[in-house]
Amino acid sequence: MSSYCVATYRCYDDKADFHKKAQSIAVGLTVGSWTELPAAKQKEMEKHLGQVLSVQVTEASDAPDGSGGRYADIRIAYPDINFSADVPALLVTVFGKLSMDGRIKLIDLQFSPSFLSGFGGPKFGVAGVRELLGVHDRPLLMSIFKSVVGHDLEELSHQFYGQAAGGVDLIKDDEILFENPLTPIEKRVEACMAAAGRAQAVTGQKLLYAVNVTGPASKLADQAKKAIAAGANAILFNVLAYGFDTLRELSADPDINVPIAAHPALAGALYPSPHYGISASVLLGKLMRLCGADLVLFPSPYGSVVMPKEENMAIRHALVTDKLDEDYVYRAPGSVDNLPSLLLRSSFPVPSAGIHPGLVPWIIRDFGTEVVVNAGGGIHGHPLGTAAGGQAFRQAIEAVMNGVALADYAESHPELDAAIERWGAKQ
Ligand code: 1AE
């Protein structure tokens, strides 16, 4: 019995015969033609043939795209024998040409045990990142460098110190800060880690600095190792500008022994349409975790760049679920494998973009405490300065953890009070 990876598609069409369409996908993306083949050839090719597992048609007036249109969810199993055990080969098989063929979206992927056996997932994950920071009892807080382009080391170091002094757990480079003559990576890491040390002497708090390694693909690993040698204790990576296999390679490299934060830049070109692209839970959930992201950023339902809440919750589920055999694995009926149950560390969900302290209760309500609260403008734009911005977030987190309403907590916490005055508190 062969092993298979399974793709689920959502396909909109007012008239199509979806069963016929499913068959044509299963054949077209595997053996090319089937009924025309002589019986002997069919026998030989059978192990390469895609299998339609199900076609669920909804003659909907309440279709998820809001159009009142008709759609079908189609599940197709692709034999592992057809592709190498890597994400590029899998994606090109199941959604290469098909992604350009009408109103069809890849909404889920499940993987065979043997395909999965080549993936280690996050090296640190939620528990490992908490261990590095020594923080186990509350959501983490991340701050994003802002106004970085055109600034020198002294300015960056000053900005870093302000963020660190506010009590954040992680600071990430802005995703648009690349290798540049004013703040080259090694010098930047040295200056920022020195600022982290000065802040730690005051706050007593450890901190991870995720330095952006984005640049030419051939130099990524070297850039990461240079940064680590200079003292970096995390890296930031714009995964989708390269592809998932590049993330997997960085994560699997034994010399890159620091957490990787995955930035979602470019994801908006792929997930938002109900009719095209790849679902957010596959793109920013399953594939990020499988390929080794320890933290994954994505737009939240509440901030300045908005993603619908169901999609956010689906990403969260993909990043943290321990029911991997249920959600990630496809075992073909009758297949026997001796592989153990899949174990992957969970990745930290990091709902981001336009986050301010007034949103903290909503983030914790929806994500629980295994979440990183992340803000750029919501920290640097605080009326009392950057450090007060971090403090206001920490106070908002404390309030929620103690079951106290933000407005009440703000009465004795001026930084939180000023933040609520500035941004409000979502009701
Ligand atoms: C979804 C990514 C968010 C991000 O990278 C970023 O820089 C957010 O900044 P703020 O918090 O919106 O200022």
Side-chain angles (χ1 to χ4, degrees), residues 151-224:
H151 291 270
D152 64 15
L153 284 171
E154 201 183 318
E155 289 165 314
L156 242 58
S157 157
H158 178 72
Q159 210 187 109
F160 191 101
Y161 184 83
Q163 297 172 87
V168 305
D169 303 294
L170 303 103
I171 297 179
K172 79 160 193 69
D173 268 346
D174 202 55
E175 70 279 6
I176 58 164
L177 182 63
F178 309 110
E179 194 53 303
N180 71 92
L182 280 176
T183 52
I185 198 160
E186 285 164 297
K187 296 261 176 275
R188 181 159 94 241
V189 169
E190 281 163 15
C192 290
M193 292 312 286
R198 290 197 300 279
Q200 189 176 348
V202 178
T203 62
Q205 202 184 310
K206 289 184 190 158
L207 186 150
L208 294 175
Y209 170 36
V211 63
N212 187 359
V213 296
T214 308
S218 61
K219 299 210 173 105
L220 281 172
D222 282 352
Q223 193 75 344

Side-chain angles (χ1 to χ4, degrees), residues 203-256:
T203 62
Q205 202 184 310
K206 289 184 190 158
L207 186 150
L208 294 175
Y209 170 36
V211 63
N212 187 359
V213 296
T214 308
S218 61
K219 299 210 173 105
L220 281 172
D222 282 352
Q223 193 75 344
K225 288 170 200 172
K226 257 201 302 191
I228 292 164
N233 52 10
I235 61 174
L236 175 78
F237 186 46
N238 287 305
V239 177
L240 298 172
Y242 300 85
F244 288 99
D245 200 55
T246 314
L247 169 63
R248 194 198 55 76
E249 283 199 356
L250 290 175
S251 166
D253 189 325
D255 296 328
I256 302 180

Side-chain angles (χ1 to χ4, degrees), residues 144 146 172 174-175 263-264 297-299 304 352-355 374-378:
I144 310 165
K146 288 284 154 183
K172 79 160 193 69
D174 202 55
E175 70 279 6
H263 195 276
L297 282 73
F298 49 88
S304 55
S352 305
I355 302 298
N374 181 32

Side-chain angles (χ1 to χ4, degrees), residues 120-133 208 228 233-235 251 253-254 256-260 292-295 344-348:
K123 224 180 241 165
F124 294 84
V126 170
V129 169
R130 285 197 177 282
E131 202 56 48
L132 289 174
L133 291 167
L208 294 175
I228 292 164
N233 52 10
I235 61 174
S251 166
D253 189 325
I256 302 180
N257 202 17
V258 297
I260 300 178
D294 296 283
L295 306 106
L344 284 180
R345 291 182 183 88
S346 48
S347 313
F348 249 124

